Amino acid sequence: SRPRVLITRGDIPSPGYKLLHQECELIEWKKSTPIPRSELLSMITGVDGVFCLLTDKIDEEVISSAGPQLKVVATMSVGLDHLDLKSLKERNIKVGYTPDVLTDATAELTVALLLATSRRIIQAEKALRAGEWTSWSPTWMCGPGLAGSIVGIVGLGRIGARVAEYLYPFRVSKILYSSRSEKSAAAAFKGQRVPLDQLLAESDFVIVTIAQTPETRGMFNEEAFGKMKKSSIFINVSRGEIVDQDALVKVLKNRGIRAAGLDVMTPEPIPLDHELLKLDNCVLLPHIGSASTEVREQMSVITANNILAVLKGNPESMPSPLKMQ
Ligand code: GLV
Ligand code: GLV
């Protein structure tokens, strides 16, 4: 009989969906909203594979509800912080994810968010529509330029390195990065590895691309923001949990830093009455880093293929995060 695969969302891109549909019996949460936890706990029972998203918390309770036949959990994301990797590994359940394919799209969005924040693009467009554009004005809607600036990248992984490569041709004066080890990728943009404190103290733009782990949770707290320049701009495209959000609100209000651009926050979606939405020096995007049409289609295909590879007894062909850690 055909393997049983749970798909936790109704609107996954069709190329990946079709691959699974051809070969598996699908158990589907058919709505385009996240599967409720109670449904996840019951629908996962007895399946061989799971196609999930970063909105699904796959923890010990969920994994044990599945039963011993579960062989693979594949997430349509590069982030893995929503998966209990230890529990999965202990049970020899393979984990699939989608690195590399979304690197360009996410780096591109990071540059767009940085420019939208520094050059106040969203605020300026809103002002035009509100009739606040009275004349070309020498100082209106000014913000810091990239040319000659110091850019600091926190966590020089695939995405961080690509962001740096993209920013280098903007004639920045230098690119700093903080990372546990020297990265050979830094040669392409003459990146200098420095301690985090030095990066925070010197950078005009601080860009967070580091993965969320127990060690990076809350690393941007009051103390970290306190080390940054008053003129600096903070960009986060990784996970909201890396930031102590109350500390960020406070430092933005007090102008302890100039502005922030966030593609990720806590919680997601952010409530519309949240303090962050009241600030004019904060640009907020709804976690769209990888949202290029082609990339999302490719992510769905890779996720489906990761599941099929394991179910057909061929797990070597999928990128394994467990090997890399
Ligand atoms: C997006 O945040 C991802 O992890 O793919
Ligand atoms: C701006 O439009 C300029 O001409 O300087």
Side-chain angles (χ1 to χ4, degrees):
S1 69
R2 294 165 14 128
R4 290 162 58 83
V5 172
L6 170 64
I7 300 186
T8 64
R9 193 69 73 88
D11 59 349
I12 65 158
S14 61
Y17 179 86
K18 282 184 187 150
L19 283 174
L20 290 175
H21 192 255
Q22 279 162 17
E23 308 208 32
C24 307
E25 181 190 334
L26 299 181
I27 292 71
E28 301 172 66
W29 174 251
K30 292 208 162 121
K31 298 185 187 164
S32 59
T33 49
I35 184 170
R37 177 130 182 124
S38 57
E39 295 289 339
L40 177 59
L41 285 167
S42 67
M43 289 174 80
I44 201 168
T45 306
V47 303
D48 304 291
V50 177
F51 184 122
C52 70
L53 306 181
L54 58 86
T55 45
D56 306 317
K57 196 160 178 53
I58 309 293
D59 57 15
E60 175 60 36
E61 189 188 8
V62 171
I63 297 163
S64 54
S65 307
Q69 77 301 324
L70 180 62
K71 290 172 203 66
V72 56
V73 171
T75 179
M76 194 180 119
S77 64
V78 68
L80 297 165
D81 45 278
H82 55 300
L83 309 179
D84 184 339
L85 295 178
K86 191 166 159 279
S87 282
L88 290 163
K89 195 177 179 158
E90 275 165 11
R91 292 162 203 246
N92 199 26
I93 297 166
K94 299 285 185 264
V95 174
Y97 73 144
T98 65
D100 302 314
V101 64
L102 49 59
T103 302
D104 287 335
T106 307
E108 178 176 285
L109 191 278
T110 306
V111 174
L113 176 58
L114 187 153
L115 291 170
T117 307
S118 60
R119 299 297 305 271
R120 304 165 66 177
I121 291 173
I122 315 275
Q123 192 189 5
E125 208 256 4
K126 277 192 192 142
L128 177 153
R129 288 176 187 265
E132 291 163 19
W133 181 20
T134 51
S135 72
W136 188 95
S137 305
T139 58
W140 191 57
M141 288 294 163
C142 286
L146 266 169
S149 72
I150 299 178
V151 171
I153 315 255
V154 180
L156 202 77
R158 288 171 288 252
I159 294 168
R162 191 61 46 82
V163 170
E165 275 175 50
Y166 285 175
L167 291 178
Y168 187 63
F170 280 84
R171 310 173 66 83
V172 299
S173 84
K174 61 179 165 182
I175 298 183
L176 308 177
Y177 71 97
S178 70
S179 174
R180 274 178 300 191
S181 57
E182 288 286 338
K183 297 288 167 100
S184 56
F189 43 87
K190 302 197 177 81
Q192 299 168 30
R193 181 167 162 249
V194 295
L196 179 63
D197 283 358
Q198 185 183 341
L199 182 150
L200 297 177
E202 293 184 10
S203 298
D204 299 300
F205 299 93
V206 172
I207 306 173
V208 180
T209 64
I210 200 166
Q212 189 206 312
T213 64
E215 295 81 58
T216 61
R217 252 187 114 83
M219 76 185 276
F220 278 88
N221 54 17
E222 190 169 348
E223 194 189 345
F225 288 124
K227 289 174 183 155
M228 289 171 57
K229 297 188 198 177
K230 278 193 168 0
S231 57
S232 66
I233 288 182
F234 177 76
I235 303 293
N236 185 10
V237 295
S238 170
R239 285 293 180 269
E241 288 78 5
I242 289 169
V243 173
D244 172 345
Q245 209 161 259
D246 294 337
L248 177 61
V249 167
K250 200 166 147 202
V251 75
L252 285 171
K253 269 191 185 160
N254 301 339
R255 308 278 157 174
I257 64 172
R258 183 186 177 104
L262 310 175
D263 187 42
V264 289
M265 55 216 81
T266 46
E268 294 182 6
I270 190 107
L272 293 182
D273 61 354
H274 195 279
E275 286 294 312
L276 276 178
L277 276 77
K278 298 180 186 145
L279 301 170
D280 63 1
N281 55 344
C282 186
V283 175
L284 298 160
L285 295 180
H287 202 150
I288 55 170
S290 66
S292 99
T293 312
E294 316 82 73
V295 167
R296 287 285 172 84
E297 288 181 353
Q298 288 165 13
M299 287 167 71
S300 76
V301 168
I302 292 168
T303 307
N305 280 334
N306 284 340
I307 293 170
L308 294 171
V310 176
L311 296 182
K312 291 176 178 175
N314 189 21
E316 303 75 33
S317 66
M318 71 174 199
S320 167
L322 300 177
K323 252 184 280 173
M324 290 175 35
Q325 283 174 353

